[in-house]
């Protein structure tokens, strides 16, 4: 009798735990099937691996600075603005190695980008840590005036769309079916932005692309982990047009869209395509907006050795990918054996993040197809690189969990 009672208690406890620990419906409804990670890319990365040189060239610039997510250099070259985890944008002066808070922003800023048309402004994405949001503060795309320090909301609402879970979509610029919210509120139903993650500003400064890795009400940090494991196709890319004030859907139905860059377009009025990172799928993907491939997408490179976060281009047009963390054998196995995901997503987030892993950078050719450089690091100096920002004197590495600036010499390749 006692054994039966113990068994019953354990069974009931297991059922209750299984229910309480379940990821939200928007994720558990859409867990991807098993996938095979392309091993060819890892072999190409091994051929250009410079991890030893990378480690020896790291220079930590100690600053009184919170952990942060992204950085942008202003035109004077030795001053950077960083989006810190304390909910402020900080000003870093590398001439005298000082840092100080510049502006208190809504929620918490993540991606940040200069305004090509004005040295007096920067744009930033604000999303915060999802939880405990002050009700008066709203996620979205904002502009900071560097003279007055005034913060202006640019995009707080986007078209309310329903993702086709079976078929991702890219909208060509000329497609009249693309959901678009007009400046006067016309264009159909709209909703609040859930997560404005990263952004890119067109060369002429008139269009802003921003990523929304997922959308649902009251998102939490735990949801981001579940998204990465499930490979739920909840990612979207949006574009704001400063000339018309409209917000247009560029693509949806992708996996955790994060970093975004426009492609070079010499001799043409505007970009024909943009590239994005699918962080949890270890990919870079190109969306075609104009030209013969408009309305389509292609995988530029897959099977990356880590989880790509932010992207930047250097003066030669090469793409610098921040590898937030390496692609561990465990995560690779989980993606290859999707049957285990309902269990893994119920484990405590602290347990899933407890293993310290390597972080690093990958450099791709300007079109993204060819690995040129790869370096990973595990040690006391550096962890969780969220952005790798090229500058004239080196590569500045944004370490999301270490309050320092890291400078690595520009490698020759």
């Amino acid at each position: 009798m006692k054994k039966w009672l113990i068994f019953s208690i354990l069974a009931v406890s297991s059922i209750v735990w299984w229910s309480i620990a379940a990821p939200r419906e928007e994720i558990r409804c859409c867990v991807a099937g098993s996938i095979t990670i392309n091993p060819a890319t890892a072999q190409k990365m091994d051929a250009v691996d410079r991890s030893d040189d990378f480690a020896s060239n790291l220079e930590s610039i100690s600053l009184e600075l919170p952990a942060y997510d992204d950085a942008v250099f202003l035109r004077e070259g030795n001053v950077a603005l960083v989006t810190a985890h304390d909910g402020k944008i900080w000003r870093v002066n590398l001439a005298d190695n000082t840092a100080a808070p510049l502006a208190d922003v809504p929620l918490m800023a993540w991606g940040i980008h200069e305004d090509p048309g004005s040295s007096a402004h920067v744009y930033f994405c604000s999303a915060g840590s999802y939880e405990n949001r002050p009700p008066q503060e709203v996620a979205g795309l904002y502009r900071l005036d560097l003279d007055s320090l005034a913060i202006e909301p640019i995009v707080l609402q986007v078209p309310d769309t329903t993702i086709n879970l079976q078929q991702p979509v890219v909208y060509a610029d000329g497609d009249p079916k693309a959901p678009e919210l007009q400046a006067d509120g016309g264009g159909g139903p709209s909703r609040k932005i859930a997560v404005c993650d990263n952004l890119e500003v067109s060369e002429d400064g008139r269009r802003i692309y921003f990523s929304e890795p997922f959308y649902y009400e009251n998102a939490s940090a735990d949801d981001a982990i579940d998204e990465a494991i499930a490979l739920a196709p909840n990612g979207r890319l949006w574009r704001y047009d400063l000339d018309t004030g409209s917000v247009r859907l560029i693509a949806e139905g992708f996996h955790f869209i994060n970093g975004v860059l426009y492609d070079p377009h010499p001799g043409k009025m505007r970009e024909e395509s943009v590239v994005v990172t699918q962080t949890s799928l270890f990919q870079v993907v190109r969306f075609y907006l104009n030209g013969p491939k408009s309305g389509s997408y292609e995988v530029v490179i897959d099977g990356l050795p880590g989880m790509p976060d932010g992207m930047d281009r250097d003066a030669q047009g090469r793409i610098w990918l921040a590898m937030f963390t390496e692609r561990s054998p465990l995560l690779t196995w989980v993606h290859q054996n999707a049957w285990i995901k309902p269990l893994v997503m119920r484990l405590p987030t602290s347990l899933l993040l407890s293993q310290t892993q390597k972080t690093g950078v990958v450099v791709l050719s300007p079109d993204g197809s060819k690995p040129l450089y790869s370096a990973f690091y595990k040690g006391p100096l550096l962890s969780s690189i969220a952005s790798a920002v090229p500058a004239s004197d080196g590569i500045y590495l944004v370490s999301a969990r270490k309050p320092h600036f890291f400078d690595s010499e520009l490698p020759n390749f």
Side-chain angles (χ1 to χ4, degrees):
M1 183 69 176
K2 185 180 294 186
K3 290 182 179 180
W4 178 87
L5 180 60
I6 293 173
F7 176 80
S8 297
I9 293 173
L10 289 175
V12 171
S13 299
S14 297
I15 293 171
V16 171
W17 167 78
W18 188 262
S19 177
I20 293 175
R24 59 191 304 150
E25 172 59 27
E26 296 94 332
I27 299 175
R28 68 175 182 267
C29 74
C30 315
V31 177
S34 300
I35 64 170
T36 300
I37 306 295
N38 181 5
T41 300
Q43 296 169 1
K44 293 177 182 177
M45 293 294 174
D46 288 342
V48 295
D49 181 75
R50 300 275 290 279
S51 296
D52 291 341
D53 292 342
F54 177 80
S56 63
N57 288 329
L58 276 178
E59 178 187 356
S60 175
I61 304 171
S62 184
L63 297 165
E64 293 296 325
L65 181 69
Y68 57 104
D69 187 78
D70 200 5
V72 61
F73 280 88
L74 302 183
R75 294 181 184 181
E76 53 262 44
N78 58 2
V79 174
L81 302 181
V82 305
T83 55
H85 289 188
D86 64 350
K88 295 179 175 64
I89 292 177
W90 284 58
R91 185 179 188 272
V92 175
N93 190 328
L94 294 175
D96 57 11
N97 290 350
T98 59
L102 179 69
D104 191 352
V105 303
L107 299 174
M108 188 173 74
W110 281 359
I112 189 168
H113 200 289
E114 72 276 13
D115 179 354
S118 171
S119 60
H121 298 111
V122 294
Y123 296 100
F124 64 91
C125 269
S126 195
S129 59
Y130 310 117
E131 298 170 331
N132 302 319
R133 298 183 178 191
Q136 72 277 11
E137 297 185 0
V138 182
L141 177 67
Y142 289 82
R143 178 165 52 205
L144 170 64
D145 187 307
L146 298 177
D147 294 327
S148 67
L149 300 185
I151 295 173
E152 176 189 3
I154 303 298
V155 182
L156 303 179
Q157 297 275 133
V158 293
D160 191 5
T161 67
T162 300
I163 290 176
N164 181 342
L165 299 176
Q166 306 303 317
Q167 183 62 51
V169 61
V170 176
Y171 290 101
D173 278 358
D175 190 341
K177 298 190 299 295
E180 187 167 355
L181 182 63
Q182 306 297 329
D184 61 3
S190 65
R191 62 165 174 83
K192 293 180 181 179
I193 295 172
V195 181
C196 184
D197 194 321
N198 221 312
L199 71 155
E200 168 74 313
V201 184
S202 63
E203 186 176 17
D204 60 7
R206 307 314 300 165
R207 293 168 300 284
I208 304 173
Y209 297 86
F210 61 96
S211 58
E212 189 179 36
F214 50 87
Y215 164 75
Y216 22 77
E217 293 291 333
N218 302 315
S220 72
D222 289 351
D223 295 329
I225 304 300
D226 289 337
E227 280 275 343
I229 296 171
L231 293 181
N234 290 325
R236 293 177 172 94
L237 182 68
W238 302 97
R239 185 177 67 206
Y240 175 73
D241 190 308
L242 274 78
D243 294 325
T244 65
S246 63
V247 184
R248 182 182 177 92
L249 180 63
I250 298 301
E252 69 178 1
F254 292 84
H255 305 282
F256 212 104
I257 294 179
N258 193 337
V260 53
L261 290 174
Y262 66 80
D263 276 320
H265 46 282
K268 297 181 180 178
M269 291 294 293
R270 59 190 292 164
E271 60 279 358
E272 290 194 349
S273 56
V274 295
V275 290
V276 302
T277 56
Q278 290 197 101
T279 296
S280 55
L281 201 53
F282 321 111
Q283 286 184 349
V284 174
V285 178
R286 174 170 285 112
F287 300 146
Y288 287 98
L289 312 179
N290 294 286
K293 295 183 179 180
S294 61
S296 68
Y297 72 93
E298 67 182 12
V299 176
V300 178
I301 190 167
D302 65 351
L304 288 165
M307 301 183 76
D309 197 330
M311 290 192 293
D312 275 282
R313 289 189 189 271
D314 62 20
Q316 288 73 45
R318 299 171 299 197
I319 299 173
W320 286 79
L321 290 174
M323 295 284 115
F324 192 82
T325 185
E326 68 178 332
R327 174 166 53 82
S328 68
L330 175 60
L331 185 55
T332 301
W333 184 86
V334 168
H335 281 335
Q336 292 173 338
N337 297 270
W339 59 268
I340 197 68
K341 290 185 177 183
L343 172 61
V344 174
M345 288 187 291
R346 285 170 166 83
L347 298 177
T349 301
S350 57
L351 177 62
L352 295 174
L353 298 178
S354 62
Q355 183 181 3
T356 302
Q357 297 179 331
K358 294 179 181 179
T359 189
V361 294
V362 164
V363 184
L364 305 175
S365 58
D367 68 355
S369 64
K370 181 181 179 181
L372 303 175
Y373 175 90
S374 174
F376 279 79
Y377 172 87
K378 182 178 181 180
L381 283 179
L382 182 62
S383 66
S384 305
I385 299 174
S387 296
V389 184
S392 59
D393 59 344
I395 301 297
Y396 288 87
L397 307 171
V398 174
S399 181
R401 297 180 184 173
K402 299 274 187 181
H404 297 281
F405 241 69
F406 291 90
D407 175 19
S408 180
E409 293 181 10
L410 280 166
N412 294 316
F413 49 80

